[in-house]
Amino acid sequence: MTYIDLHTHSTASDGSFPPREVVRLAKERGLEALALTDHDTIDGLPEAMAAGQDFGIEVIPGIEISARHDTGSMHILGYFLDYKSEVLARRLDVLKQARKDRNPQIIAKLNDLGMAVTMEQVQRISGGGQVGRPHIARALYEKGYVRSMQEAFDIYLGNNGKAYVSKYRFPPEEALSMIRDARGIPVLAHPFTLGLNTSETLRPLLKELKALGLAGIECYYPEHSPVQEAFYLSLARELGLLITGGSDFHGDNKPEVSLGRVTCQARLTYDLLTALKQWREGIWDESGR
């Protein structure tokens, strides 16, 4: 069996490994293909694509875009992007600036709470990529203010945390159009984060997103329970949406996730990627046949 991973992150966003190292590790772990899907940025893709050539592993240029959603958080993955598109780069600049504006506000709140964390420390931790909350969580951990990065999110950085600051997100229709305009394939990431746990609440949203250009659902994900996985698979098949999956690998910033070793790895097979390619070529049959 040939295995893949369609959801990974590097130091270009909030992972701890440079893009080349993510690709090298995927090859070492026996994966046949890998998608680099950094948050709101394509900056790591040139390095990842070159590494794919060097190590002999198929690399799919991707992204993960945060979109506006009222009841939870919505993330949309994009696959096979034209990552050299200047139009896409300009649209992503809006999100990069939003992150830059947000981070000092979070640091200021932490400082007000008596925690001596600085932007300089966080930027060092980021390794030169864009700074995000996982880097701030790492700074809190290194300073001894929390016992783990998860605790940093639970108490300070999560949506209900003491130092949380909301950020600008594109509406779903714009996130989807960004991916489609860059000749990519949009897929809803880890749907459990939407906070919609029944067919009556999730099905209408999926229908709406499909009408706006959504092509698939990330059904296979380490944090999905067997019941959730079956639920998402059923909806994907019912609505004629592609089925994908990935680890959401972040390296040391998410140590419980090991590339090529996640609980759902047995379902992350190359046929998922084949279906994406067929959809891209316009020959995918929505009935699933």
Side-chain angles (χ1 to χ4, degrees):
M1 190 66 71
T2 303
Y3 297 107
I4 64 172
D5 195 320
L6 296 175
H7 190 162
T8 67
H9 298 277
S10 74
T11 50
S13 65
D14 57 349
S16 68
F17 295 168
R20 182 178 177 83
E21 180 63 14
V22 176
V23 176
R24 187 204 63 76
L25 181 60
K27 179 67 175 180
E28 178 184 290
R29 297 286 171 84
L31 299 182
E32 186 72 17
L34 173 92
L36 185 68
T37 54
D38 280 314
H39 292 284
D40 302 330
T41 183
I42 51 179
D43 290 352
L45 292 178
E47 180 180 326
M49 300 301 289
Q53 292 288 327
D54 291 344
F55 295 120
I57 180 171
E58 184 176 357
V59 177
I60 296 91
I63 196 168
E64 184 175 7
I65 298 177
S66 301
R68 201 175 300 155
H69 182 63
D70 293 335
T71 62
S73 63
M74 179 185 292
H75 291 202
I76 300 174
L77 295 157
Y79 297 113
F80 294 104
L81 293 170
D82 174 10
Y83 62 96
K84 298 178 182 179
S85 165
E86 293 182 4
V87 174
L88 177 62
R90 286 197 297 271
R91 295 172 85 175
L92 290 173
D93 281 343
V94 175
L95 300 179
K96 289 182 185 178
Q97 188 59 50
R99 284 179 181 270
K100 288 180 181 178
D101 293 342
R102 178 197 202 192
N103 293 322
Q105 296 177 57
I106 296 174
I107 296 297
K109 282 194 170 188
L110 291 170
N111 293 163
D112 289 343
L113 291 168
M115 284 167 277
V117 177
T118 67
M119 275 302 301
E120 289 74 19
Q121 180 191 8
V122 173
Q123 286 167 343
R124 174 186 57 78
I125 291 170
S126 76
Q130 64 175 349
V131 174
R133 286 182 295 168
H135 304 119
I136 300 174
R138 173 70 63 181
L140 290 172
Y141 175 71
E142 287 184 358
K143 287 275 190 173
Y145 294 122
V146 293
R147 291 168 294 182
S148 68
M149 291 180 60
Q150 186 58 52
E151 184 176 282
F153 274 88
D154 291 343
I155 300 175
Y156 301 108
L157 305 177
N159 290 5
N160 298 312
K162 297 177 182 179
Y164 178 74
V165 175
S166 62
K167 69 171 181 177
Y168 175 77
R169 292 173 171 84
F170 285 131
E173 58 268 26
E174 187 163 357
L176 290 164
S177 71
M178 286 172 63
I179 294 169
R180 294 292 290 264
D181 291 348
R183 301 200 297 275
I185 306 173
V187 170
L188 179 67
H190 41 62
F192 79 97
T193 62
L194 294 168
L196 304 176
N197 303 313
T198 67
S199 296
E200 291 71 24
T201 55
L202 183 55
R203 183 186 288 109
L205 176 63
L206 291 176
K207 287 182 175 180
E208 179 184 342
L209 294 175
K210 183 179 179 183
L212 294 170
L214 184 73
I217 307 174
E218 185 178 51
C219 298
Y220 303 126
Y221 186 78
E223 294 182 51
H224 288 170
S225 70
V227 171
Q228 286 174 317
E229 183 179 291
F231 174 47
Y232 302 138
L233 286 169
S234 175
L235 283 175
R237 290 165 179 153
E238 174 192 336
L239 300 175
L241 290 164
L242 288 162
I243 293 165
T244 74
S247 66
D248 203 2
F249 175 73
H250 283 71
D252 296 337
N253 291 338
K254 201 173 182 181
E256 70 276 14
V257 176
S258 181
L259 190 64
R261 304 287 188 271
V262 290
T263 53
C264 60
Q265 192 65 54
R267 273 94 72 204
L268 302 183
T269 54
Y270 198 90
D271 61 307
L272 302 178
L273 184 53
T274 298
L276 283 171
K277 291 178 177 180
Q278 289 175 341
W279 185 95
R280 188 172 181 236
E281 294 167 0
I283 61 172
W284 187 71
D285 182 347
E286 288 194 350
S287 70
R289 293 189 295 269

